[in-house]
Amino acid sequence: MASSEPGAPPAAALAGLRVLDLSRVLAGPWCSQQLADLGADVVKVERPGSGDDTRSWGPPWLAREGEACGDAGAAGPGESAYFLSTNRNKRSITIDIAQPEGRQLVRDLALRADVLLENFKAGGLAPYGLDYASLAALNPRLVYCSITGFGQTGPYAERPGYDFLIQGLGGLMSVTGRPDGEPGAGPLKVGVALTDVLTGMYASVAVLAALQRRQVSGRGQHIDLALLDVQVAALANQASSYLVGGQAPQRLGNAHPSIVPYQDFPTADGHVIVAVGNDGQFAAFAAALGCPQWARDPRYATNPERVRQRRELVALIAAITVTRTTDEWIAAMEAAKVPCGPINTLDRVFADPQVRARGLRVEVAHPHAAALPLVANPIRLSESPVAYRRPPPLLGEHTAAVLDDWLALDGAAIEDLRRRQIV
């Protein structure tokens, strides 16, 4: 509930929710960052000395104050851009779970948590007594989310899973890339670890669903999320086309299997994307090209016919678009209300007036830099907006504070744990 005090900041949507995050790399941390952005107190448990694997995934590194560029620090300690992308609003605590006292600390924290996230291999936490069955016996209200490559069951359950191999195994690469016979033909992975990101998003939805169910039942539950399951589900219309039509979709480059024209076209100085979604838009597009007769031609008047005549029509369009610049075509098509746009590099993305107007770049203070640029969370809540309370944490930055806050350990007890290298 938003604060009723005049001038007070609104309460965060998930304020008061405690999340114990044992995950690393991207899928799990993407989920916990989502929950943290919405106000949850996320405690990231990391290995002493090294932490999350992505802390070393660089360059680039965050340039410290006085350094010239983002590659600074590559020869020494630094904060990797990869780690910074997915760990804001969290607190970092280091615990050595190989030691019995470390495992006990995690159990104690789990007793006070609402949610636990982990992405160890299936069964990997059972020898430590940190699996769902063990912790649920101690805290029946715990929502325990396990993220793995292949899930907790099935013949691949024990295999490690990474985004790239899941994009291939799960079918995404079979529909991504230029078709056979064209220059540069072959399967391609998506340019970001999209399966990991989507798994993190599914995980955040699943966690919120389990928390809502707990409101009724009083009990938590185990969430079993697999990258492979998510990848297959995210094939969306392509998977449905196969299941309904019986034929495996093929690579079409930037074209759409069911809509024409819906792809990029060459211009005098680059490319323009055209996304015609209905016959009315096609008529407007044809007129903008100077070929209004196409909208009356039975070969092109309806989308099913345009799909059938794809090769011929695309060639006709390309022969026209190449005669003017990208900006000229965008101006003409926008005037005709035809969905279109450029293919931007990231410097142009963050300079785009709409991106700037929406505030998609934010800056937060960081111990190593006066201003750390980050990508904003796209969720816009009118009553409980996202807040950027903390930068991505330094390794173990909040160990003492969390042990005090969650477990009420005093300074002497924490120092004893440090001395014995448990934290």
Side-chain angles (χ1 to χ4, degrees), residues 22-45:
L22 275 62
S23 70
R24 56 211 183 279
V25 187
L26 185 53
W30 198 261
C31 171
S32 59
Q33 178 170 267
Q34 193 72 233
L35 301 176
D37 282 355
L38 294 171
D41 179 11
V42 175
V43 170
K44 183 178 181 69
V45 178

Side-chain angles (χ1 to χ4, degrees), residues 259-262 275-285 301-303 306 339:
I259 308 172
V260 173
Y262 198 98
V276 168
N278 56 55
D279 296 337
Q281 288 178 351
F282 178 72
F285 174 62
T302 65
N303 183 67
R306 292 194 295 275

